[in-house]
Amino acid sequence: MMRFKRNKNRFGAPRSFSGGATRPAGKPHKGVYLLPNLFTTAALFCGFYGIVMAMGQQFTTAAVAIFAALVLDSLDGRVARMTNTQSAFGAEYDSLADMVSFGAAPALIIYEWSLSGMGKLGWVAAFVYLAGAALRLARFNTNAAVVDKAWFQGLPSPAAAALVTGFVWVMDDAKMAGAELDWLAWGITFYAGITMVSNVPFFSGKDFHFRRSVPFLVLALIPLVFALVSQDPPKVLFGVFVLYGLSGYVVYVVRKVRGQGLKGLDIERDEHF
């Protein structure tokens, strides 16, 4: 007689027909993937290289290294999502690498370039920036489960690093000594550090998808952007991040004047801050 396989186990519970255990949707994988972590390691190396170059008084090279880290940092997360290789290890590793590349490295670069001659005031500004980067990254990590927000809460640490090191790059390229611009360097460093831990909204660009169709004019403007950057990279890039670093306050003031506040903005938030 033909015997049919029971659909329950010996304890009476329904038998699972899946070939193996499946990972719950949205839960990071516990393994270690090579591809996205290669980008993270490269970004970490750029941050370390920037520190070494600053110690050797090669400030333009140090600043370029931080901008390279910014590009690599923007790629590792996208690569992980595109290849479905997200992991808890990758998220933690990325955060630690960011602390070096966008926290410690920019603080040390601008300190070596300009702030060291100001005594305690110099290292206070550098430490405010460093602490702001650490707090900003910690706040971002607590929001890791909340994705695709259109607005950042506070200035992102990569943008803050680009603002600080971009200033060093522009001035060093113009052959201006950091000692002559110490108070301006102090103000930019302090501003970046405080703005990172503020509640000011900054556009994240996360609602932009590369698979979405765009007007032909947008595609035609891309070569123009590359041409403008190639004309004078330090000034153009620094100008872009100055505008971005001020944009959050403009949005905040405009909404305050209109009586809107931050209500209605799809902004990352954390109940502990």
Side-chain angles (χ1 to χ4, degrees):
M1 178 183 294
M2 183 180 293
R3 308 182 75 181
F4 293 94
K5 190 174 182 180
R6 295 186 302 169
N7 61 355
K8 293 184 179 181
N9 59 22
R10 60 191 182 92
F11 297 104
R15 186 185 300 275
S16 174
F17 292 98
S18 59
T22 59
R23 176 164 53 98
K27 186 177 181 181
H29 193 276
K30 293 184 179 180
V32 178
Y33 293 102
L34 179 62
L35 185 59
N37 290 313
L38 280 177
F39 285 93
T40 304
T41 302
L44 177 61
F45 173 77
C46 288
F48 172 75
Y49 185 73
I51 293 174
V52 173
M53 290 298 100
M55 292 170 62
Q57 306 298 299
Q58 301 294 321
F59 296 110
T60 293
T61 306
V64 172
I66 300 304
F67 275 87
L70 189 152
V71 174
L72 292 165
D73 179 70
S74 67
L75 292 175
D76 60 0
R78 291 184 181 276
V79 168
R81 288 188 293 271
M82 290 174 62
T83 58
N84 196 27
T85 53
Q86 304 100 315
S87 67
F89 174 87
E92 295 298 327
Y93 185 34
D94 180 69
S95 181
L96 292 171
D98 286 354
M99 185 58 206
V100 174
S101 299
F102 308 130
L108 290 170
I109 290 170
I110 199 163
Y111 180 81
E112 284 288 324
W113 179 71
S114 177
L115 302 179
S116 58
M118 300 181 70
K120 291 183 179 180
L121 280 175
W123 62 255
V124 164
F127 179 73
V128 166
Y129 176 88
L130 180 65
L135 291 170
R136 178 67 182 87
L137 289 167
R139 180 166 66 181
F140 183 81
N141 287 345
T142 60
N143 297 330
V146 184
V147 295
D148 294 332
K149 293 298 184 182
W151 298 86
F152 287 124
Q153 185 181 12
L155 184 66
S157 58
L163 183 62
V164 170
T165 57
F167 176 68
V168 175
W169 189 6
V170 168
M171 294 301 127
D172 192 62
D173 185 66
K175 308 301 180 185
M176 298 202 56
E180 300 174 359
L181 303 164
D182 51 0
W183 280 107
L184 184 56
W186 192 96
I188 291 175
T189 305
F190 192 84
Y191 173 87
I194 294 298
T195 305
M196 278 190 283
V197 296
S198 69
N199 290 323
V200 176
F202 287 88
F203 183 66
S204 69
K206 291 183 178 180
D207 57 350
F208 178 79
H209 300 286
F210 288 99
R211 295 181 180 179
R212 184 181 300 173
S213 62
V214 295
F216 178 77
L217 180 61
V218 175
L219 188 63
L221 288 175
I222 294 177
L224 178 61
V225 172
F226 281 104
L228 288 174
V229 173
S230 65
Q231 291 299 310
D232 197 337
K235 290 180 181 177
V236 174
L237 292 174
F238 178 62
V240 168
F241 282 100
V242 166
L243 293 176
Y244 182 75
L246 295 173
S247 65
Y249 287 99
V250 173
V251 171
Y252 184 81
V253 171
V254 169
R255 293 184 68 88
K256 278 290 185 181
V257 170
R258 293 179 177 177
Q260 297 173 322
L262 299 180
K263 294 181 180 180
L265 288 181
D266 187 22
I267 185 172
E268 63 172 26
R269 296 185 184 279
D270 180 59
E271 61 182 3
H272 301 295
F273 289 85

